[in-house]
Amino acid sequence: MSVELRYSRSARSLKKSAWVNVGIRLSAIIMALLFTSVILLIAKANPLQAYKSILHGAFGSTIKLTSVIASWVPLVIATSGLLFTFTAGLWNIGMEGQIIMGSVFAVGAFRFLDDTSLAPALVITLAFVAGAVGGILWALLPGLMKIFGGVNEIFGGLGLNFVAKTVAIWLIFGPWKRPGVASGSGTEWIDIQYRLPYLPGTNLSLTILIIAVIIAIITAVMLKGTHFGLRLKAIGKNDKAAYILGVPTSRYFLLAFGICGFFAGIAGSILVTSKQYSLIPDAGFGYGFLGLLVAMLVNYHPIWSSVVALFFAALSIGNTELQYMGLNSYFAGVLQGFLVLFVVLVDGVRKQLVKTR
Amino acid sequence: MFTKKLWLSLSVLLVAVLVLSACAAPAPTEAPAPEVPAATEAPAATEAPAATEAPAKAPVIGLLLIGPANDAGWSQAHYESMAYVKDKIPGTELLYLENVYTGSTSHTQTPAELAADMVTKGANIIIFNSDDQKDNAIKFAQEHPDVFVIHPSGDAAWKEGKNYANLPNMKNIMGEMEYGKMIAGCAAALTTQTGKIGFLGPLINEETRRFAASAYLGAKYCWENYLQKDPADLEFKVTWIGFWFNIPGVTLDPTQVSDDFYNTGYDVVISSIDTTEALVEAKRLAADGKKVWAVPYDYYGACEGAQEVCLGVEYFNWGFAYVDAIKSAMDGTWKSSFELVPPDWKDINNPDTSGVGFIKGGGLSAENAAKVDQFIAELGAGLNLWKGPLNLQDGTVYLADGEVATIQQIWYLPKLLEGMEGQSE
């Protein structure tokens, strides 16, 4: 009986702490909105009007709404990948570079297969495979460097981000440049038959939406409902203890990096086939970094990450509307920055309080 | 258990999407921003007539600027031309977006997507203001045959060009900046004390090659004919930064490139990028006692704030050509066309008639200013510098002795010219 009592008490406190968690996160959001409002007021803009126009800019028309979803797709894929590495206790800062490498490999595949007689659908599939390979390779590098070279994955990832971008720029201005042209505008567009078609009257390809939903589901299931996810979590909590208990940590580290890189490569291929149609210097569009923010904000929770990713996607599309108000569209970035700052800050304060208690 | 969670996650997502879209649903009935027309006005996408007919309502221009509207260069010239358009066509409405370029952190959407959104806001004429937006301009024009598209600097509407795409709703408009660059080159050659001219180039393509070459031809002509000096003693070096303006981490830094020019004996830098780093750097160095000058580009007011080192600015005057195009869209006489807008040699700074102008800067001596005027007069009288013998940079013959270049030959100049130093492609 005492066991039952204790259980119900701890369940109650668990529930309570869940509500406290939500409250804390909400307070962070409110604080971020307040601080951004102050800055908007300093810039002599009406904050309510600004937030309203961001909302309108994100959801005011079918074009906008589908743009938000199209932007959600690579973000949620990137975040999903990062959830694997975060769960394993790894900081995969190199995500952006992995997306860029996915784009590089996908564009490379299109260039290689352009003049073949293969069916377009097959070429697109092969380009996705190539993109995935590029992402995986680029993700395994910091993993291998960590395991065999003792290099912290944060530094490995940071360095490889720069290398990936440099490789892209080199290709754009070098071997892959348009004939007679050397321009940061990017490489020649892939042939129209290789571009994923949009749903009529929208900015969204159904294919990429399906891919994203599948990836989000796989991520939630694998992390929350399999032994694999459990082991990954064990490693993330304490890799030495997990190792002693018989979990092959190195292999799991590499697996987490590999899965993350796979998703990054898919995201890169999606950006090539449904948005940019070419390789550009910033081929990752910052989705790798944004994914890190999303994952941190939701405390590495797969389901919530889909929702929060949608919020960030809406912010990134809606911010354009600020320009019509005569405001700089970087204001959405200010809000984004404050959000992250306050969530991290509030979380830190909460932990301090728990400790002292 | 897992399926339960799965359903939970999916339904949360779905609910979120529905809630958010429901929240937004009433928004279109409100006017979202001062300059945006009320949403009750024409949803042009569905109601606008075919491109060859007139739109029923006043023009609503959607302008996509590659840079900021106050860049003192290419984008500002476009932005300010809109005031001229509004003045000449009362009732014109303007929607504009800044920093619309590849990889811009200001916009997650592509230029074509941003333009499509402008159409939902009522725009019936879209101006893609940059070469960088070329592919997007063509894609948009294909997907929106009922919207008029103007793409300055492009050639998709040029029947005799290399990249002709049959798009009835597309117009290309471009000032004949070859002349502007020649004048800039002349002013530079007359002023340089070291005989070394630097050319701060953007990215490399047909347009930038022919403008660099034009500047060189103007410099060489004035060097030879006004100063009676040997062309072999004139150094003309082109450094390309890789884009129309500085993008940290992607392009070379134009401030650094200008600085390198000035510190290696190139005392005049002709800028051909969208922004004014060369002029700013010249001013900084001149304040330290260095004798250096710059020629900015694009915008008639570019010399402002640095007159003492500014030799003048060759600029675009877009307004009146846009007025003609927009009027034709309204009155039903619109035709797809490729229009080169020449300088008005009677007065190259006439805002109503001259597509290209040159405003002399405070750094140009009175004596040299007179020579520049003389050069402009000669050009107006028919002097053609695109005439053989001219060789390409690699020594191959470009124009035989006495041969005059066709427009195509100039427009699609394959390499820099002999006598110029720098990367050709």
Side-chain angles (χ1 to χ4, degrees):
Chain A
M1 187 180 145
S2 69
V3 174
E4 248 172 59
L5 192 71
R6 223 182 298 153
Y7 174 77
S8 72
R9 210 180 268 163
S10 75
R12 222 181 297 148
S13 74
L14 247 179
K15 240 181 205 165
K16 199 175 146 201
S17 81
W19 279 113
V20 169
N21 263 331
V22 170
I24 281 169
R25 294 241 184 292
L26 273 178
S27 71
I29 291 170
I30 291 166
M31 268 154 69
L33 284 170
L34 280 177
F35 268 75
T36 312
S37 303
V38 170
I39 290 192
L40 283 164
L41 285 172
I42 292 170
K44 295 193 175 68
N46 178 347
L48 278 181
Q49 188 68 39
Y51 297 135
K52 214 166 98 183
S53 84
I54 290 179
L55 262 183
H56 177 72
F59 303 107
S61 67
T62 319
I63 294 254
K64 283 295 189 180
L65 178 65
T66 51
S67 293
V68 170
I69 300 173
S71 178
W72 174 80
V73 164
L75 182 55
V76 84
I77 294 175
T79 310
S80 297
L82 286 163
L83 288 176
F84 283 91
T85 42
F86 271 127
T87 304
L90 297 166
W91 282 76
N92 186 15
I93 305 291
M95 189 64 175
E96 186 74 8
Q98 289 147 29
I99 299 176
I100 295 176
M101 268 304 154
S103 297
V104 166
F105 273 61
V107 170
F110 281 122
R111 295 180 66 88
F112 185 70
L113 299 168
D114 194 23
D115 291 327
T116 56
S117 55
L118 298 176
L122 182 60
V123 174
I124 295 170
T125 311
L126 289 173
F128 268 79
V129 171
V133 169
I136 291 170
L137 285 177
W138 215 247
L140 287 180
L141 281 177
L144 293 170
M145 278 158 69
K146 181 186 173 76
I147 292 163
F148 297 108
V151 181
N152 187 308
E153 75 276 8
I154 295 180
F155 299 118
L158 265 179
L160 286 166
N161 280 346
F162 282 110
V163 178
K165 190 169 171 182
T166 308
V167 167
I169 292 175
W170 170 68
L171 288 167
I172 290 164
F173 285 98
W176 289 1
K177 67 183 181 186
R178 301 180 189 215
V181 174
S183 160
S185 290
T187 59
E188 198 100 50
W189 278 17
I190 56 172
D191 198 81
I192 193 160
Q193 58 182 338
Y194 303 138
R195 302 177 204 162
L196 295 176
Y198 290 170
L199 293 167
T202 75
N203 278 341
L204 179 68
S205 143
L206 191 60
T207 316
I208 66 166
L209 179 60
I210 293 171
I211 294 174
V213 171
I214 291 175
I215 283 181
I217 292 172
I218 288 177
T219 303
V221 170
M222 275 181 81
L223 288 179
K224 292 283 168 185
T226 63
H227 279 287
F228 173 78
L230 204 62
R231 284 191 185 138
L232 221 49
K233 203 171 170 183
I235 294 171
K237 294 277 180 211
N238 187 338
D239 60 332
K240 288 189 182 71
Y243 183 75
I244 290 164
L245 291 172
V247 180
T249 44
S250 295
R251 198 194 302 162
Y252 272 74
F253 278 151
L254 284 183
L255 263 173
F257 269 118
I259 294 170
C260 192
F262 173 71
F263 288 175
I266 296 294
S269 310
I270 281 176
L271 290 168
V272 168
T273 48
S274 74
K275 182 180 170 74
Q276 205 58 44
Y277 308 131
S278 66
L279 183 64
I280 63 167
D282 282 307
F285 288 89
Y287 284 115
F289 296 124
L290 202 52
L292 288 165
L293 299 188
V294 173
M296 280 191 284
L297 282 181
V298 298
N299 213 5
Y300 319 122
H301 195 286
I303 294 163
W304 280 106
S305 74
S306 298
V307 180
V308 172
L310 188 71
F311 172 76
F312 276 95
L315 207 58
S316 75
I317 298 296
N319 69 5
T320 289
E321 201 71 17
L322 292 177
Q323 280 199 9
Y324 291 121
M325 274 180 76
L327 279 175
N328 195 308
S329 57
Y330 294 121
F331 272 112
V334 173
L335 177 60
Q336 204 168 291
F338 274 135
L339 265 176
V340 174
L341 207 63
F342 281 116
V343 167
V344 173
L345 188 72
V346 164
D347 210 44
V349 170
R350 184 187 63 92
K351 277 180 187 152
Q352 286 288 333
L353 285 178
V354 169
K355 227 189 254 172
T356 51
R357 206 187 287 164
Chain B
M1 162 104 187
F2 306 133
T3 40
K4 212 169 148 191
K5 276 188 180 169
L6 211 64
W7 279 115
L8 183 69
S9 62
L10 280 176
S11 42
V12 165
L13 200 67
L14 197 69
V15 168
V17 172
L18 289 176
V19 167
L20 288 170
S21 50
C23 288
T29 50
E30 294 166 45
E35 278 200 301
V36 178
T40 44
E41 273 181 51
T46 48
E47 281 181 23
T52 45
E53 291 168 38
K57 296 182 182 67
V60 181
I61 301 169
L63 173 65
L64 297 139
L65 298 168
I66 183 177
N70 60 352
D71 65 353
W74 175 263
S75 288
Q76 189 160 359
H78 273 92
Y79 177 68
E80 294 198 1
S81 77
M82 289 297 120
Y84 183 93
V85 172
K86 281 183 178 175
D87 187 46
K88 299 285 172 184
I89 310 175
T92 300
E93 299 226 35
L94 174 67
L95 300 165
Y96 74 97
L97 289 174
E98 303 170 281
N99 302 318
V100 181
Y101 63 92
T102 304
S104 167
T105 46
S106 286
H107 306 284
T108 306
Q109 290 172 284
T110 62
E113 290 169 358
L114 293 171
D117 182 55
M118 284 175 158
V119 171
T120 66
K121 290 183 161 61
N124 44 29
I125 297 166
I126 299 287
I127 302 177
F128 290 92
N129 104 320
S130 174
D131 153 81
D132 182 59
Q133 303 156 352
K134 187 176 188 170
D135 292 313
N136 276 283
I138 294 168
K139 178 173 186 269
F140 175 84
Q142 284 164 342
E143 290 169 354
H144 297 83
D146 48 358
V147 179
F148 301 98
V149 178
I150 303 175
H151 182 224
S153 85
D155 60 350
W158 191 11
K159 265 196 183 138
E160 291 77 25
K162 278 185 186 172
N163 302 305
Y164 180 63
N166 186 9
L167 297 164
N169 54 336
M170 164 87 84
K171 253 187 208 296
N172 294 132
I173 294 175
M174 186 66 174
E176 288 194 58
M177 190 42 81
E178 292 79 5
Y179 292 112
K181 289 293 177 195
M182 287 174 192
I183 300 166
C186 177
L190 294 172
T191 305
T192 176
Q193 314 283 302
T194 58
K196 292 166 89 171
I197 298 171
F199 187 93
L200 177 64
L203 47 86
I204 312 177
N205 68 11
E206 286 140 351
E207 174 190 323
T208 62
R209 262 197 301 272
R210 72 173 184 272
F211 286 169
S214 298
Y216 172 68
L217 288 173
K220 195 173 92 171
Y221 182 83
C222 292
W223 180 262
E224 248 185 311
N225 293 280
Y226 295 167
L227 300 179
Q228 271 78 42
K229 290 187 181 173
D230 183 358
D233 295 336
L234 178 69
E235 286 185 45
F236 191 100
K237 183 179 169 184
V238 183
T239 302
W240 310 100
I241 63 165
F243 199 64
W244 297 104
F245 44 76
N246 183 31
I247 305 177
V250 176
T251 63
L252 298 183
D253 179 354
T255 301
Q256 190 61 48
V257 172
S258 305
D259 209 44
D260 289 347
F261 271 135
Y262 291 130
N263 286 324
T264 50
Y266 293 83
D267 57 350
V268 181
V269 173
I270 300 173
S271 171
S272 215
I273 65 174
D274 286 8
T275 46
T276 56
E277 284 86 347
L279 188 69
V280 173
E281 201 55 14
K283 185 180 172 174
R284 189 181 72 79
L285 292 170
D288 292 345
K290 235 176 150 71
K291 297 204 103 191
V292 291
W293 297 269
V295 187
Y297 179 38
D298 288 321
Y299 173 59
Y300 75 92
C303 284
E304 266 165 44
Q307 284 289 353
E308 66 278 16
V309 291
C310 188
L311 299 183
V313 56
E314 71 284 17
Y315 67 94
F316 289 98
N317 178 30
W318 301 98
F320 72 96
Y322 283 160
V323 166
D324 289 348
I326 291 160
K327 275 189 178 160
S328 79
M330 289 166 67
D331 66 19
T333 57
W334 170 285
K335 277 200 181 72
S336 170
S337 60
F338 171 81
E339 294 169 18
L340 295 176
V341 194
D344 178 357
W345 293 114
K346 285 197 271 314
D347 175 9
I348 60 169
N349 292 317
N350 185 334
D352 301 318
T353 53
S354 192
V356 169
F358 186 84
I359 291 179
K360 295 188 212 86
L364 191 68
S365 70
E367 185 194 352
N368 287 337
K371 284 177 179 152
V372 166
D373 279 335
Q374 188 188 337
F375 180 60
I376 294 171
E378 279 193 67
L379 287 172
L383 171 68
N384 190 348
L385 300 183
W386 285 96
K387 192 174 165 189
L390 276 180
N391 288 348
L392 296 175
Q393 199 182 35
D394 59 6
T396 56
V397 175
Y398 168 58
L399 295 172
D401 199 359
E403 186 186 355
V404 175
T406 63
I407 300 174
Q408 281 85 351
Q409 275 175 310
I410 297 173
W411 188 273
Y412 299 113
L413 181 70
K415 282 186 167 59
L416 295 180
L417 299 175
E418 201 171 61
M420 301 172 76
E421 193 189 329
Q423 207 183 329
S424 251
E425 52 189 344

